């Protein structure tokens, strides 16, 4: 190979963002499909997700549903350009009546699911364990909190659809007016020499977002709800590039998304090598809870009276257990009088 050819190949690899080792688990890889007027992110979660799901020993259907929510929060939250929190929450009337996932920018993830044990057993016995059957009727809220002295931004959408993927599509179309497609997958794998299965997951999000703000597709009609006859535009046509990006994404199966031996870079090249894909520096993801003894102490001091704290005490102690990480904090009910 000549020096010129070697230099050309090195320049090409650099331009595609591939002049580095492949990313591993617990990372988000941003990418662009310049020819298709599309940008996106790919996430692979291993130990971070396994820690979140295994800590509470959730039944498998609940763990998978919460795992999908964690992947979706990582895909969306990792796009934040500031330090703050992205909070995704479902509240419903189904067997899994509450899911909360916090993304603590730039890299922290934690999640929690609350479920009705009896309702879950009944649903499982009747074979009703698909996401929309476990969630039931309710809403999905996405909140961006940039910290003190700023207003929270919140978008809410009804939980219509058979999966969190479909709910996410509806959210972005109606609340953000951004054409979006998402693929999510959660699975259990057994490592050699370890008899306990480990949870892992993968996901890809693509959006029609021209890099320089020059869109080749008309604005979405009305509120982005194509099923609403009052606002839908029958003449609306999606851009060819966006359609092509969606068609390639639809070929992904769950095994590819959760495969421990398939990096985001290899996955994206497999999907989009014909149209061209450019990847960027991977963003690390970690399991991290934001609870602390100081925060809980301040909450007990400011939100409850001395009489309330006396009633909370059992055997002379107030015990508060974090719903996310299960850490137990213990306080003397009389310590607040002296400190506060």
């Amino acid at each position: 190979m000549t020096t010129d050819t070697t230099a050309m190949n090195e320049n090409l690899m650099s331009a595609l963002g591939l002049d580095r080792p492949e990313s591993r688990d617990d990372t988000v890889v941003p990418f662009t499909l310049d020819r298709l007027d599309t940008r996106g992110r790919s996430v692979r979660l291993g130990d971070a997700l396994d820690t979140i799901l295994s800590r509470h020993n959730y039944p498998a259907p609940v763990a998978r549903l919460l795992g999908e929510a964690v992947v979706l929060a990582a895909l969306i939250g990792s796009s934040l350009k500031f330090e703050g929190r992205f909070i995704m929450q479902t509240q419903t009337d189904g067997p899994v009546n509450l899911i909360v996932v916090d993304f603590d920018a730039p890299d922290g993830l934690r999640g929690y699911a609350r479920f009705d044990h009896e309702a879950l057993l009944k649903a499982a016995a009747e074979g009703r364990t698909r996401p929309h059957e476990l969630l039931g009727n309710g809403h999905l809220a996405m909140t961006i909190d940039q910290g003190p002295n700023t207003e929270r931004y919140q978008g809410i959408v009804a939980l219509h659809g058979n999966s969190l993927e479909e709910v996410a599509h509806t959210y972005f179309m109606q609340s953000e007016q951004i054409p979006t497609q998402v693929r999510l997958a959660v699975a259990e794998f057994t490592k050699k020499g370890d008899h306990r299965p480990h949870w892992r997951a993968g996901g890809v999000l693509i959006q029609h977002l021209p890099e320089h703000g020059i869109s080749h597709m008309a604005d979405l009609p009305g509120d982005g709800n194509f099923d609403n006859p009052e606002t839908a535009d029958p003449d609306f046509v999606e851009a060819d590039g966006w359609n092509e990006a969606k068609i390639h994404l639809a070929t992904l199966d769950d095994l590819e998304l959760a495969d421990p031996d398939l990096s985001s870079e290899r996955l994206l090249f497999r999907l989009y090598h014909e149209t061209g894909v450019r990847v960027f520096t991977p963003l690390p993801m970690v399991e991290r809870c934001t609870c602390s003894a100081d925060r809980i102490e301040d909450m007990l001091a400011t939100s409850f009276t001395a009489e309330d704290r006396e009633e909370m005490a059992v055997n002379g102690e107030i015990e508060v257990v974090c719903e996310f990480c299960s850490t137990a904090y213990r306080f003397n009910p009389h310590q607040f009088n002296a400190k506060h």
Side-chain angles (χ1 to χ4, degrees), residues 5 16 30 33-34 41 112 130 137 143 242 245 279 303 314 332:
T5 303
L16 297 176
L33 309 171
D34 295 327
R41 289 177 293 283
Y112 168 74
R130 290 179 296 179
N137 298 311
T143 305
W242 174 238
V279 297
S303 301
V314 177
N332 184 318

Side-chain angles (χ1 to χ4, degrees), residues 292-309:
S292 70
D294 288 341
R295 287 188 177 187
I296 295 175
E297 184 181 24
D298 287 341
M299 179 270 294
L300 290 172
T302 57
S303 301
F304 299 93
T305 65
E307 290 75 15
D308 292 333
R309 293 191 290 270

Side-chain angles (χ1 to χ4, degrees), residues 165-184:
E165 293 177 358
E166 292 186 14
V167 174
H169 300 162
T170 302
Y171 172 83
F172 279 103
M173 292 290 261
Q174 296 186 12
S175 298
E176 304 293 330
Q177 290 278 287
I178 301 173
T180 302
Q181 289 286 298
V182 179
R183 281 287 286 113
L184 310 169

Side-chain angles (χ1 to χ4, degrees), residues 33 36 206 245 248-249 268-277:
L33 309 171
L36 304 183
I206 58 172
H248 286 298
L249 184 65
L268 293 170
F269 183 78
R270 180 182 296 181
L271 282 177
Y272 296 111
H273 66 278
E274 293 182 355
T275 60
V277 57

